[in-house]
Amino acid sequence: MEEPEPNTPSDHILGWIGESISYFPTFFDDPYDTGDFSGDSWWVQPQDLDQELIGSSSNSFNAAMPTTTAAAPTPTESIVSDQSSIPLDSTKKRKLPDNSSPKVSRKNTNRLEDSAAGVVEPPARRPVANRRVNNRSAGNSSNGNNKEGRWAEQLLSPCAAAITARNPSRVQHFLYVLHDLASLNGDANHRLAFHGLRALTHHLSSSSGGSGFSTSNTFAASNPKFFRDSLIRFNDINPWFRIPNSVANSSILQILAEQKHPTNTLHILDIGVSHGLQWPTLLEELTRRTGGPPPLVRLTTVDPPTGNRNTTAAPFAHGPQDYDFSSKLLGYAKDININLQIDKMENFHLQNLNPQTIKSFSSSEEETLIICAQFRLHNLNHTSPDERSEFLKLLRGLNPKGLILSENNADCSCNNCGDFATGFSRRMENLWRFFDSTSIAYKGRESDERKMMEAEAAKMLISVGEMSEKKEKWCERMKSAGFRRELFGEETVDGAKALLRKYDSNWEIRVDDKDGCVGLFWKGETVSFCSLWKVIGLGVEDCLV
């Protein structure tokens, strides 16, 4: 039975803020860059800024052995440097219970979105003592588009709007409140507030709109073994990547079954973010294929440039510098009697990919080329120049037997598709779903693994290369590039749905009757889509005749 909600005073946060705040907190040093606040002339740097919350936010993940998680800053650990400039009671940060989830009341939501100073009022806390017993129903209060319990967005979005409106007093107001609530520990709201606050302070302090991003928690800075083990663990408890990988693997088998020369070399062009963890399952499935595996399986991975691991790279694209999955994958292939060859196109810009480059990695003209593009193509510019459409045409020129495209199903957040506030709000939408799903996946437990995954995902708030599009726009681009839509086989869809049943019940798979795309949803909100394409003029009859 659920415990009754305690009667917490409605003015829990009102004591921290007044109608006017003359004091600016000491946390405002940019955690990602040491530059000054010269990017916006309207912003005047407050005096006596000491780095407090951001900058030493979390543990390093460079130790090969498991580490003990240090406590992240909480509201009670803040130190006010100039207590004389604000009311005495506002210098004391209220201790938020670990199982609390402060909200912004409906009464004050409109005030937050108003151009005047907002007032934040969290209602009574909702205990989560029964989360371990009834984990699948935890968090259902924010199903669909219901944002009542998502108070972090209701603070971060108005703050971004104030930055866009160049309203420094209102910006200070929200940053002050966010500083008191942000924490790497706690529920998804506290963690979103933490990473959102870091992104906002970086935006204000960076004169180049996103340079100097650096954190020790992301993939690129992690220990290779810890990174690999954490990613395996994540795929086992969260289907964010597992379902797209499963759909892609089944589609590869579907395309192979259509070929009139099943003994040809299978050549997979991997433009993705699986870091090799997608392929052991495919290799195993190839051994159970009628007629056995192809005589040679060639895997060509396209690794992103190493010089832009932070501000321009898509989240999840860069692994640790010393990480190499090839040896383990080759060893596994040998154990199951598959002839596997792995080629790497390292430090490679997608724009430089061409048929000559691919042919240089080919060992035979008689091969079945299948392209697997997952969560990387949205990193290409889609305005001027339109690198995205040109790259799809380039892939068409490779004449593949099939192309699997998996991408975020979200509105674009780049500067060309809206102002900073609009783009920031759209990115938070996607990040919230990630944080909310990881809360349930890790059963609310604090762990270095979860912090690394969330820090990597939070790069979407600051990466200038984060330019997602809705699947309808992707489908238009694919058709314009010379591809035609192909339906997924029943085995592919049924296999994905069967796999999804091992995860939390808030996850859902839907097949779009109009375009045939397989969509992944969290609490009724779209996360990503998978689609299958073939070159126009190439049909099943061309493969089987």
Side-chain angles (χ1 to χ4, degrees), residues 298-316:
R298 296 185 56 248
L299 177 64
T300 301
T301 62
V302 183
D303 298 337
T306 58
N308 62 350
R309 289 175 180 264
N310 297 314
T311 59
T312 60
F316 309 107

Side-chain angles (χ1 to χ4, degrees), residues 57-59 72-73 182-186 190-191 194-195 198 217 446 450-451 454:
S57 58
S58 58
N59 298 324
S183 174
L184 274 177
N185 300 314
H190 289 283
R191 305 194 308 272
F194 180 91
H195 289 285
R198 302 183 80 180
N217 291 13
E446 307 298 338
R450 192 199 71 191
K451 290 178 181 178
E454 292 182 345

Side-chain angles (χ1 to χ4, degrees), residues 306-457:
T306 58
N308 62 350
R309 289 175 180 264
N310 297 314
T311 59
T312 60
F316 309 107
H318 286 102
Q321 186 172 0
D322 298 329
Y323 174 76
D324 185 10
F325 66 86
S326 299
S327 59
K328 288 186 176 294
L329 190 59
L330 288 169
Y332 177 73
K334 184 178 180 180
D335 290 341
I336 59 176
N337 298 318
I338 285 186
N339 185 16
L340 176 65
Q341 175 184 330
I342 301 177
D343 298 300
K344 288 189 175 183
M345 302 172 66
E346 297 179 321
N347 198 24
F348 199 87
H349 290 274
L350 294 181
Q351 299 89 324
N352 297 334
L353 190 66
N354 55 63
Q356 291 73 29
T357 305
I358 296 300
K359 288 180 180 179
S360 67
F361 287 94
S362 299
S363 58
S364 172
E365 291 292 334
E366 299 298 327
E367 67 176 21
T368 301
L369 174 63
I370 301 176
I371 300 174
C372 186
Q374 295 186 302
F375 305 105
R376 287 272 302 281
L377 302 195
H378 72 271
N379 204 202
L380 294 168
N381 193 2
H382 67 96
T383 52
S384 180
D386 189 356
E387 298 172 342
R388 194 167 300 180
S389 295
E390 290 301 316
F391 183 72
L392 293 176
K393 293 177 182 177
L394 185 151
L395 296 181
R396 164 64 179 85
L398 298 177
N399 201 30
K401 300 300 182 182
L403 186 151
I404 302 105
L405 175 66
S406 301
E407 272 296 347
N408 303 319
N409 192 4
D411 291 315
C412 183
S413 56
C414 73
N415 293 334
N416 292 316
C417 295
D419 56 23
F420 171 72
T422 300
F424 192 79
S425 178
R426 289 174 176 175
R427 297 180 189 208
M428 279 196 302
E429 285 273 351
N430 199 31
L431 189 60
W432 165 261
R433 289 188 280 273
F434 188 87
F435 279 22
D436 194 32
S437 67
T438 55
S439 291
I440 293 181
Y442 289 96
K443 303 184 185 301
R445 301 187 183 101
E446 307 298 338
S447 71
D448 289 348
E449 295 176 356
R450 192 199 71 191
K451 290 178 181 178
M452 182 192 70
M453 296 300 303
E454 292 182 345
E456 181 69 21

